[in-house]
Amino acid sequence: MKRVVMKFGGSSVATIEKIKKVAEILKRRKNGMNDIVCVVSAMGDTTDELLSLAGALSKNPSRRELDMLLATGEMVSASLLAIALNEIGEKAIALNGAQAGFEVKGRYGFAKVVDVNTSRIERELSEDNIVIVTGFQGMNSKEDFSTLGRGGSDTSAVAIASKLGVDCEIYTDVDGIYTVDPRFHSEAKKLSKVFYDEAMEMAHLGAKIIDPRSVEIAKKYGIRIYVALNSANVLGTYIGEENVEESIISNLSVQDNILLVKKTLRNESVAELFLNLAKEDVNIDIISKMDTEGKTLVRFTSVVDERDLIEKVADDFEFVENVSKVSIIGNAMRNQPGVAARVFDLLNSNGINFHGLSTSEISISIIVDTLVKEKVMSLLIREFEL
């Protein structure tokens, strides 16, 4: 049986005309498929507009009510797409996250998928429907809607694909995954294939192509992901198993709005500090610790949006804003000696000061002032021929 899960992002369904185009794409695809499940995001900037409406009423709206509100965005686009398909002669039905069987847990706005009971989806497919599912949402143990956070529709799509045991195709406003954001570097190369770990690093380190949670699910269940332009007429990029014979630096990613945090510890241990930050759900990235003259200086990075949460822990943090994280990613870090040395030499020879650095098995990330971010990017692009 030929089956596929297809996902269209918010820019792909931003207007009625674009919804009609997606309907035509699904109709053409149905000619060669038995079953299609299509996951959609909210139309265009709908999520931001709904947040703005809530903000006009309250400076601190209930997270539970926000999720009730935000869940409606995807319901609108799913319903409209089903109507468009019915109008052109294709059977289609729209299901919200609860109807599609999404069980989630965790705090409102940042829920995680526990399971997907696909019995309703299977039933609708057996009746020859194209099944349109709202991304980004599920039902928690309190029988409340809970959303998955930014990028959650990718996770919804891959979760369904993993339960059905089929490929997942993600259509967006870019035609694949590039070595560098083509808006910054016009000669960036499109990658025909990226392996799972690389894609996760890219997503975690600033590439806004796909949600990292979706790649984690795909890797766990061996689901191949295809990222392509929403016109579905240009060859995109496959995310799958690693080719062990390749050894390359495949991508440069950037994250802005990084927050550098410093604190001198006096009457607390490092463990106590980070336990207290964890209680406030603060996301921590690069950490360094230095002991001098009987004092312990701790530095770590978070994001600017977390500053209020950090300040709840103590009132003597020192904050440095206007910094960015620039990262190079690829399995050459694992398979080729000397990559880190090349990065250090490049920064040193060009007089680039950096606030911190972290490495993983397949990435090197540098924290620099946003003012020099583009210079650092250009240097790395030339050095590693990206």
Side-chain angles (χ1 to χ4, degrees):
M1 179 179 291
K2 292 183 178 179
R3 288 180 154 186
V4 69
V5 175
M6 303 170 72
K7 179 258 176 178
F8 287 86
S11 60
S12 306
V13 292
T15 66
I16 292 298
E17 288 306 312
K18 288 185 175 182
I19 287 172
K20 288 180 179 179
K21 288 180 180 178
V22 172
E24 291 290 348
I25 290 169
L26 294 175
K27 181 180 176 69
R28 290 196 299 271
R29 192 65 182 277
K30 190 72 165 69
N31 290 334
M33 284 283 170
N34 296 106
D35 295 335
I36 294 178
V37 179
C38 179
V39 174
V40 291
S41 299
M43 297 173 67
D45 297 324
T46 297
T47 300
D48 289 335
E49 291 166 0
L50 292 172
L51 285 170
S52 179
L53 289 173
L57 295 169
S58 170
K59 290 183 179 180
N60 188 28
S62 158
R63 284 299 331 182
R64 190 264 181 196
E65 302 311 326
L66 273 181
D67 273 8
M68 277 288 290
L69 176 67
L70 296 182
T72 65
E74 278 70 20
M75 293 184 203
V76 171
S77 51
S79 299
L80 291 174
L81 181 55
I83 291 168
L85 281 161
N86 289 327
E87 184 64 19
I88 59 176
E90 288 292 338
K91 289 183 64 180
I93 187 170
L95 303 177
N96 64 34
Q99 292 169 320
F102 274 85
E103 301 171 19
V104 302
K105 69 176 182 179
R107 58 189 174 124
Y108 294 105
F110 301 94
K112 295 182 179 180
V113 178
V114 176
D115 195 14
V116 186
N117 181 344
T118 56
S119 58
R120 175 72 185 273
I121 292 175
E122 291 280 14
R123 187 165 74 249
E124 299 298 346
L125 289 173
S126 70
E127 296 178 8
D128 203 33
N129 281 303
I130 295 176
V131 181
I132 314 299
V133 177
T134 57
F136 180 64
Q137 62 186 248
M139 187 72 74
N140 65 21
S141 60
K142 296 179 180 179
E143 297 187 347
D144 288 340
F145 278 109
S146 192
T147 64
L148 308 181
R150 294 289 185 177
S153 292
D154 292 344
T155 303
S156 300
V158 176
I160 293 172
S162 71
K163 295 293 287 189
L164 299 181
V166 300
D167 286 350
C168 182
E169 301 175 0
I170 294 180
Y171 293 94
T172 181
D173 53 3
V174 296
D175 62 348
I177 300 175
Y178 281 76
T179 53
V180 188
D181 187 338
R183 292 170 296 184
F184 175 79
H185 181 48
S186 61
E187 297 180 8
K189 308 176 186 75
K190 184 162 69 173
L191 301 167
S192 60
K193 184 176 181 180
V194 175
F195 67 89
Y196 292 124
D197 289 343
E198 281 183 323
M200 278 189 279
E201 289 285 289
M202 291 176 192
H204 279 301
L205 295 173
K208 298 178 177 63
I209 299 297
I210 191 168
D211 183 57
R213 295 168 297 173
S214 65
V215 185
E216 291 170 11
I217 295 170
K219 181 181 180 181
K220 181 178 180 179
Y221 293 100
I223 299 301
R224 191 171 62 164
I225 301 175
Y226 178 64
V227 179
L229 191 64
N230 49 27
S231 61
N233 60 1
V234 179
L235 187 62
T237 302
Y238 286 96
I239 299 173
E241 295 291 347
E242 179 178 0
N243 182 341
V244 294
E245 295 181 356
E246 293 181 335
S247 183
I248 59 171
I249 300 297
S250 59
N251 180 264
L252 182 147
S253 293
V254 179
Q255 278 181 299
D256 293 319
N257 298 315
I258 298 296
L259 182 67
L260 179 64
V261 187
K262 304 177 185 179
K263 191 178 192 304
T264 300
L265 301 186
R266 293 179 175 86
N267 300 315
E268 62 184 325
S269 68
V270 174
E272 287 172 331
L273 170 64
F274 287 105
L275 280 171
N276 289 332
L277 290 165
K279 288 176 183 176
E280 296 296 334
D281 288 326
V282 176
N283 290 309
I284 304 295
D285 189 14
I286 299 171
I287 302 172
S288 66
K289 169 180 168 289
M290 182 169 59
D291 295 309
T292 58
E293 301 177 354
K295 296 180 180 179
T296 299
L297 174 65
V298 175
R299 303 200 312 173
F300 62 89
T301 58
S302 185
V303 292
V304 171
D305 290 346
E306 304 271 88
R307 180 166 177 163
D308 289 346
L309 295 176
I310 296 168
E311 288 177 328
K312 289 182 179 180
V313 173
D315 58 6
D316 59 346
F317 286 104
E318 180 184 346
F319 298 99
V320 180
E321 297 189 11
N322 298 314
V323 293
S324 299
K325 184 188 334 185
V326 181
S327 306
I328 55 170
I329 301 152
N331 65 355
M333 251 77 74
R334 179 167 55 205
N335 300 331
Q336 289 181 8
V339 175
R342 288 168 66 184
V343 173
F344 281 119
D345 182 62
L346 191 69
L347 296 174
N348 182 60
S349 60
N350 287 277
I352 303 293
N353 294 316
F354 58 94
H355 296 286
L357 182 143
S358 70
T359 63
S360 76
E361 193 177 27
I362 59 167
S363 68
I364 297 175
S365 298
I366 313 150
I367 303 297
V368 297
D369 291 326
T370 301
L371 194 65
V372 299
K373 172 190 73 175
E374 292 190 1
K375 180 179 180 180
V376 173
M377 292 172 66
S378 296
L379 290 170
L380 291 169
I381 287 168
R382 282 203 300 272
E383 177 69 21
F384 295 101
E385 299 180 355
L386 297 170

